[in-house]
Amino acid sequence: MPNSDSLQNDEVANTLVKFRSQPHPIPADARVAYKLAQVALVLNAFNKHSATIENLHLFTWSLQTRRSGEMLAAWWSGHRYASTVTQRSDPHLSIALNVGLIRGMVTVSGANSNRITLEQPGILFAQQITADDGLMVAEKNFLHQFNKLSDAAVSRRLARSA
């Protein structure tokens, strides 16, 4: 007489297993190449191609959705108080920055390693993106409304302590 373990093993052994392809697309903002392009555009918009990590997070976060962009634009223009802004972060930024460091596109500096600077390969990348009228149009138009950015300007506009 077969025991219950052997019946279960036979049942498992005879079970038909089927696999189906169910694509789960990776959102654009989670793709390293796209995030590196965002970083290049944002840092290129800043004075001396350099920004604090906090401001880089803020501006790449603002590029994620229309709503986040509208929020930053409202804070910037003074239509909404930015007191609700303590820190906005982009969860995919750290991976892109690590790749950018390896590729020599960015460097990290500052007393607390809190400043990210776009290096020559990153500047050339940003210039190529900027020169192509069909590439990252929404991102370029959004950043253009802020003119030349600086950490001091962000602090003044958003009433942050420097």
Side-chain angles (χ1 to χ4, degrees):
M1 177 162 208
N3 65 24
S4 65
D5 285 340
S6 73
L7 286 176
Q8 284 179 336
N9 287 339
D10 286 343
E11 192 176 305
V12 170
N14 294 323
T15 301
L16 181 62
V17 177
K18 292 183 180 180
F19 292 95
R20 300 188 302 237
S21 176
Q22 294 181 326
H24 296 282
I26 298 172
D29 65 337
R31 296 177 185 162
V32 175
Y34 176 74
K35 190 54 66 180
L36 272 173
Q38 278 187 333
V39 167
L41 286 176
V42 169
L43 289 175
N44 195 51
F46 270 81
N47 189 30
K48 298 182 182 178
H49 308 287
S50 184
T52 63
I53 189 72
E54 181 181 20
N55 287 336
L56 185 57
H57 267 287
L58 176 67
F59 277 86
T60 57
W61 165 83
S62 71
L63 293 172
Q64 287 181 356
T65 64
R66 181 178 297 230
R67 184 175 178 342
S68 59
E70 289 170 351
M71 286 173 65
L72 179 59
W75 295 329
W76 191 266
S77 66
H79 290 110
R80 282 183 59 187
Y81 290 109
S83 61
T84 58
V85 176
T86 53
Q87 184 174 356
R88 299 291 178 177
S89 65
D90 179 345
H92 307 292
L93 183 60
S94 61
I95 295 168
L97 288 178
N98 284 333
V99 172
L101 281 166
I102 292 168
R103 300 267 175 147
M105 295 174 69
V106 298
T107 56
V108 178
S109 62
N112 298 324
S113 297
N114 67 341
R115 175 162 296 288
I116 309 297
T117 302
L118 200 57
E119 294 299 324
Q120 196 58 39
I123 293 169
L124 291 173
F125 186 44
Q127 289 172 345
Q128 289 174 333
I129 295 167
T130 303
D132 189 331
D133 292 337
L135 193 59
M136 299 183 78
V137 176
E139 293 87 343
K140 290 187 287 191
N141 287 339
F142 176 76
L143 291 170
H144 184 71
Q145 71 181 312
F146 299 101
N147 296 320
K148 196 68 172 170
L149 292 169
S150 69
D151 291 323
V154 174
S155 292
R156 277 191 310 273
R157 292 286 192 130
L158 301 184
R160 287 185 178 169
S161 59

